[in-house]
Amino acid sequence: AGSAYKLEGAWIAKVDGSTGQWTYVLSADSSGRRASGHGSIDIGLFVSPESDTSSPILVEMEMTGPKTLSAYSVWYGLKELSPMAPLDPTRELVYIGVVTSTGEFVAPNELENAHYFEFYDATADADGNGLPDPGETPFATLNLTTRDTRLPSP
């Protein structure tokens, strides 16, 4: 029965009690118990007046039990710029979004997840590795839950 619960495929995450939605695709290792992926925020939350777009989501997931998982995700709030010359940047980083999640398969193609969001100012990444530096404080946090549905195979 445990083999039915694998981290792979294309998923739609709907935020409970809201219109929020994101979509993501997971590519699993051979065990199906660990996966990397990317996705997009389709209907997001207002975070910063300075941000008018976002980057794709990057995610790492791992099964922690027969039907349970943990995940870590990051994405960036961006501001569109008006470049005037070749090689001028087209966007600037406004904030870093980080999410730690736990979830449980309630069916082979359905997950219930709890997410803890942290939003950091772009300056929280002084070492330039794309992640908030240890000890930095988020300017906002949020807890929410989602029901995620895997796209059916044709």
Side-chain angles (χ1 to χ4, degrees):
S3 64
Y5 303 105
K6 291 193 175 184
L7 299 174
E8 59 190 9
W11 293 81
I12 302 165
K14 301 290 282 186
V15 177
D16 294 332
S18 147
T19 60
Q21 174 181 306
W22 56 88
T23 51
Y24 58 99
V25 177
L26 296 174
S27 177
D29 67 7
S30 60
S31 73
R33 296 186 56 76
R34 190 171 174 82
S36 299
H38 66 91
S40 63
I41 300 168
D42 306 314
I43 303 171
L45 302 168
F46 177 78
V47 176
S48 167
E50 300 299 315
S51 173
D52 50 24
T53 191
S54 62
S55 74
I57 303 164
L58 297 175
V59 61
E60 286 288 325
M61 285 189 184
E62 184 171 15
M63 298 293 293
T64 55
K67 295 182 2 177
T68 57
L69 64 90
S70 65
Y72 182 80
S73 308
V74 66
W75 81 99
Y76 306 98
L78 305 169
K79 180 173 180 58
E80 296 284 348
L81 302 176
S82 300
M84 301 301 288
L87 304 181
D88 280 355
T90 60
R91 295 178 176 168
E92 71 180 356
L93 183 66
V94 175
Y95 69 83
I96 304 168
V98 174
V99 183
T100 52
S101 306
T102 57
E104 182 173 4
F105 279 93
V106 294
N109 295 314
E110 193 171 333
L111 288 166
E112 289 181 354
N113 290 310
H115 307 278
Y116 177 65
F117 286 73
E118 296 176 308
F119 300 96
Y120 294 86
D121 189 75
T123 59
D125 179 24
D127 64 9
N129 70 354
L131 299 170
D133 296 335
E136 290 291 331
T137 302
F139 66 78
T141 61
L142 173 68
N143 289 295
L144 57 81
T145 57
T146 59
R147 182 168 293 264
D148 300 17
T149 304
R150 186 184 347 234
L151 267 60
S153 296

